[in-house]
Amino acid sequence: MDTREPTPAQQLEELWVRTKCIELGARYCHGVDHGDLETFLSIWHPGGEYIVGKRTGRFAGHAELATALDFVRGAFASTHHWTTNHLVTRTADDAATGVSDSFAICVDHSDRPSLVAATYDDEYRLGNGEWKILRRTVRRWLVSEGIEVPLRHPASEGVRS
């Protein structure tokens, strides 16, 4: 086992890899929450796999991944994700793994919010100079029923955000 202290260049490389992988998680949230298919697809390795559930919600390759946002919108009218506690571990020059936690407020088609807590288990690959998600497995810890809470939408009330 090499016990030498990493060089500044090696430390910078590790920080760059972690930053790029964490950014993929942020782009995932923006793509899903804003229904932005281009952003959503941009995070995935060509052979990417997205596993949301045990029986349904399994998408492999860009053609299937392109249908994932329709799958989400079938369940919820809107989603609002926050992802945190990212841990990224480099496993090879072109590979890394990651884990992060997510909290989401998802509004159903009857305008009732649900609370969702999950963990994302990720595998990343470097290809053509870019880090991408090779596999994301979603482990949901909590999905509440729709809550009967009246929602106020600031845009409809003339409130500036």
Side-chain angles (χ1 to χ4, degrees):
M1 179 177 201
D2 189 355
T3 59
R4 291 177 292 180
E5 187 70 25
T7 66
Q10 290 169 324
Q11 291 173 340
L12 187 59
E13 172 77 9
E14 287 301 310
L15 288 173
W16 181 82
V17 170
R18 287 184 183 144
T19 299
K20 296 312 270 183
C21 291
I22 290 169
E23 183 179 326
L24 292 170
R27 290 183 179 281
Y28 166 87
C29 292
H30 283 277
V32 171
D33 292 347
H34 299 286
D36 182 345
L37 185 59
E38 183 178 346
T39 296
F40 181 76
L41 289 177
S42 76
I43 69 172
W44 298 98
H45 182 276
E49 194 175 2
Y50 179 38
I51 304 165
V52 182
K54 292 182 180 178
R55 290 180 299 279
T56 61
R58 298 176 74 87
F59 307 90
H62 274 209
E64 287 185 15
L65 287 164
T67 69
L69 295 183
D70 293 333
F71 174 79
V72 172
R73 287 297 174 255
F76 298 107
S78 67
T79 60
H80 311 277
H81 289 78
W82 294 270
T83 303
T84 188
N85 301 331
H86 278 88
L87 296 174
V88 175
T89 303
R90 189 106 174 254
T91 57
D93 287 345
D94 65 346
T97 60
V99 63
S100 59
D101 296 313
S102 178
F103 176 74
I105 297 173
C106 302
V107 179
D108 68 19
H109 297 284
S110 296
D111 216 24
R112 295 176 306 169
S114 294
L115 307 178
V116 179
T119 296
Y120 299 137
D121 295 306
D122 294 331
E123 294 178 38
Y124 308 103
R125 287 296 180 277
L126 176 65
N128 297 324
E130 289 189 276
W131 286 92
K132 303 282 184 169
I133 297 175
L134 177 64
R135 178 176 295 110
R136 169 164 277 193
T137 303
V138 180
R139 289 185 286 139
R140 288 180 281 194
W141 299 107
L142 168 99
V143 178
S144 76
E145 294 292 328
I147 302 167
E148 292 297 334
V149 175
L151 297 179
R152 291 183 12 203
H153 299 281
S156 65
E157 296 175 356
V159 177
R160 291 186 186 189
S161 46

